Amino acid sequence: MPRDDSQPRFPAVPSDHWDGRRFFNPHADTDKSPRELWRLYKARGPRWTPPDPEPPRPFRPITPARGEVAVTFIGQATFLIQIGGAAFLTDPVYSDHAGPFGRLGPKRVRPPAVRMEDLPAIDAVLLSHNHYDHLDAPTLRHLARRRGVPQVMTGLGNGPMMRRAGFDAVHELDWWDSLPGPHGTRITFVPAQHWSARTPFDRRKTLWGGFVVETPEAAVYFAGDSGYCPHFREIGRRFGAIDVALLPIGAYEPRWFMAAQHMNPADAVRAHRDLGARHSVAMHFGTFQLTAEGIDAPLRALHHALAEQAVDSNHFAIPGFGEPLRFRRPSA
């Protein structure tokens, strides 16, 4: 098990994704020049029109049957995953803005689909990387100190921030590190093609990735953020059939800037196929406007990509906000 102390954990020697000072992607370069950043700024698309407000619906957590997986989309990359008697919360963001202090940066256009007080007891937080639309310090403090969530699992280097948030059990993981999880689950941190930073001075100083949560009856893959890359085929090869894959489909325009770090819907369908996933569920859409495409563009593009790649739409769900989806591995 990775060590759990007051210092961040880093690899002892350079590796295929760590050069001794910073992490990097083996298959693509996600760094951008000042000229490219200025070109992106000038190419901003239309502002999102927030959807009509929906009346709040009380959320009643379901209790999955043995061998069943339930996933509930709360917004952006925040899911409640219920598997094997355990409950996980992925990349929890409950603030109004995806930025410093939860008050700066892009404003959310949809409130969290499940109120914090309606969540069941959470056994662990799975944190993919430190971008503000995935790592929200006010939410983490609330979960650790008021909700009493016992532990967080995250990539290398993120430990000190998690401890400052109030978590006592912090597990920093390198790619392919695995450890026992709550209720007999097993958690593995898997590669993604992305990057990390919270200031202009800490780019790629902490590790990004996704998670595979396994029980003897099911396996769930949470991709975090990623561009399309060979990692998906390798994850599928190592874990066999993934029962449920949570895959990002938004924040992808313009492609000349975003392709290395964010999949578009066509890429997400290719990733679904590379993984050999029985079912995939879309995420990372309709919550914060981070890039130039319209608010509904990812959903339209996903329908088109499924048809173009001859993937049955019943195997790639577009979740309703706050809607629990149940999945069960077919009987042998």
Side-chain angles (χ1 to χ4, degrees):
M1 181 180 295
R3 75 186 189 191
D4 184 7
D5 59 20
S6 60
Q7 299 299 318
R9 179 182 172 227
F10 294 108
V13 295
S15 72
D16 69 346
H17 57 281
W18 166 254
D19 65 9
R21 292 183 60 250
R22 296 177 190 268
F23 296 100
F24 63 93
N25 292 291
H27 306 294
D29 182 6
T30 58
D31 286 355
K32 298 295 188 291
S33 69
R35 177 176 291 184
E36 289 171 312
L37 292 169
W38 177 244
R39 181 183 168 195
L40 177 71
Y41 176 79
K42 292 194 298 181
R44 290 176 297 177
R47 292 182 63 85
W48 285 7
T49 300
D52 293 334
E54 299 178 4
R57 295 178 298 173
F59 177 74
R60 297 177 177 85
I62 64 176
T63 302
R66 181 177 175 83
E68 190 175 54
V69 173
V71 298
T72 304
F73 185 43
I74 297 172
Q76 194 65 355
T78 307
F79 273 88
L80 170 64
I81 299 175
Q82 295 169 280
I83 178 174
F88 300 91
L89 203 59
T90 65
D91 290 359
V93 177
Y94 271 76
S95 291
D96 288 337
H97 293 264
F101 317 111
R103 298 176 181 176
L104 304 173
K107 181 176 174 60
R108 68 188 311 143
V109 301
R110 284 185 172 94
V114 179
R115 299 183 307 170
M116 186 84 74
E117 56 266 34
D118 291 338
L119 289 170
I122 302 298
D123 294 292
V125 167
L126 305 179
L127 189 76
S128 68
H129 68 295
N130 72 357
H131 285 158
Y132 283 99
D133 61 317
H134 294 257
L135 191 164
D136 179 53
T139 298
L140 292 173
R141 287 195 295 269
H142 184 97
L143 289 168
R145 299 172 184 178
R146 298 186 61 182
R147 290 278 308 194
V149 175
Q151 59 185 320
V152 60
M153 294 137 183
T154 188
L156 297 177
N158 287 312
M161 190 170 185
M162 300 301 100
R163 295 181 184 91
R164 289 195 298 272
F167 291 98
D168 292 324
V170 178
H171 307 289
E172 295 182 60
L173 307 173
D174 200 354
W175 288 350
W176 307 117
D177 279 351
S178 186
L179 75 165
H183 297 272
T185 57
R186 185 153 198 88
I187 314 297
T188 304
F189 194 58
V190 296
Q193 185 169 286
H194 202 57
W195 55 286
S196 62
R198 288 178 75 81
T199 75
F201 311 107
D202 63 347
R203 189 177 184 88
R204 296 189 285 108
K205 288 286 191 177
T206 65
L207 185 58
W208 52 92
F211 292 89
V212 175
V213 183
E214 297 175 278
T215 71
E217 296 87 16
V220 176
Y221 166 54
F222 169 65
D225 251 357
S226 185
Y228 179 73
C229 60
H231 294 318
F232 297 108
R233 193 174 298 277
E234 176 65 10
I235 291 166
R237 187 187 69 79
R238 290 198 184 207
F239 289 94
I242 297 289
D243 293 284
V244 183
L246 309 178
L247 297 176
I249 66 166
Y252 55 83
E253 291 289 358
R255 296 309 287 151
W256 64 264
F257 190 95
M258 290 293 170
Q261 60 208 37
H262 281 166
M263 292 191 289
N264 64 12
D267 291 337
V269 175
R270 284 193 284 271
H272 163 85
R273 296 174 65 183
D274 288 353
L275 289 162
R278 292 189 169 94
H279 296 277
S280 289
V281 178
M283 66 171 183
H284 208 262
F285 68 90
T287 309
F288 297 103
Q289 183 172 12
L290 304 175
T291 51
E293 74 273 5
I295 188 171
D296 294 324
L299 306 185
R300 294 194 302 270
L302 180 59
H303 286 300
H304 177 78
L306 290 169
E308 190 174 56
Q309 298 185 47
V311 173
D312 189 334
S313 60
N314 290 325
H315 294 291
F316 203 126
I318 297 172
F321 284 77
E323 174 192 8
L325 300 177
R326 296 175 184 249
F327 300 93
R328 178 182 289 275
R329 182 176 292 178
S331 300

